[in-house]
Amino acid sequence: MSRRKIIAGNWKMNQTPSQALELVETLKPLVADADVDVVYCVPAVDIVPVVEAVKGTNVKVGAENMYIEEKGAYTGEIAPAMLVDAGVSYVIIGHSERRDYFKEDDAFLNKKVLKAFEHGLTPILCCGESLEQRESGVTLDWIRLQIKSDLQGVSADQAASMVIAYEPIWAIGTGRTATSDQAEEVCAAIRQTIAEIYDQDTADKIRIQYGGSMKAANCKELLAKPNIDGGLIGGASLTEEFASIVNYNK
Ligand code: 3PY
């Protein structure tokens, strides 16, 4: 089954609104002819200006986080309905930085995934193992556990429409990248897990990205793998290099 590739930038805590607009304008002509889905996942304050700036283009906007409640006394949090009203289509859930620094566990992330679907947002659900886990040989068990826990109560149709990003923690912000064979092994195991939870049709439809220092120099090899349907791009999404990744097949 052929799945359309999806390349998403994860800007993390970078780009003030004016810097965001500058970056979007620089990238606009460079990504305009992409034959992949292009998403910019941006900090909360950048959402409104970036949505405005990409109107009428092929680029969709994602949030980097959201809260699990509808509204109310949750100082500092952002409700899913706020994202939808602002024009957001995707939301990153469970990035390892949120799991680690903000102690977001799988039960909480499961609530976020369900809430995103309730509002018509497409989750980009992140999973990944630490270096210790990889070295002790529990990577695949750990990833299966994350996926199964985070997808409790998600229907087959919902799962088929979402994106999972495999991001080995040891490759995030370190400049180290998983080899394409290591990435493919885990992405194939994620697809197998989806087939076990749901069915083969759902597993064939879901899109699985690799994230963790994907850059122009290594994206071609990673994206050539049968179970890697795109990339969640960190540092390289903040420069023109992002466009080279988007246009990897040209
Ligand atoms: C990275 O590449 O550093 C990421 O964390 C992408 O989400």
Side-chain angles (χ1 to χ4, degrees), residues 102-121:
F102 302 98
K103 306 294 167 233
E104 296 191 0
D105 64 13
D106 287 311
F108 183 57
L109 296 171
N110 175 232
K111 287 186 184 157
K112 286 196 180 188
V113 170
L114 293 171
K115 192 50 91 175
F117 279 124
E118 221 179 277
H119 286 268
L121 291 162

Side-chain angles (χ1 to χ4, degrees), residues 6 9 14 17 20 50 59 89 146 155 158 171 183 186 190 199 238 247:
I6 174 164
N14 295 294
V50 170
V59 175
S89 313
Q146 286 188 317
S155 72
Q158 288 171 331
V186 180
I190 292 171
D199 48 46
L238 299 172
N247 295 311

Side-chain angles (χ1 to χ4, degrees), residues 78-93:
I78 309 231
M82 294 172 181
L83 298 179
V84 173
D85 192 56
V88 165
S89 313
Y90 292 84
V91 57
I92 298 177
I93 293 177

Side-chain angles (χ1 to χ4, degrees), residues 1 9 29 53 60 80 184 197 206 218:
M1 147 147 224
K60 299 270 187 258
E184 168 63 14
I197 305 174
I206 195 166
N218 59 25

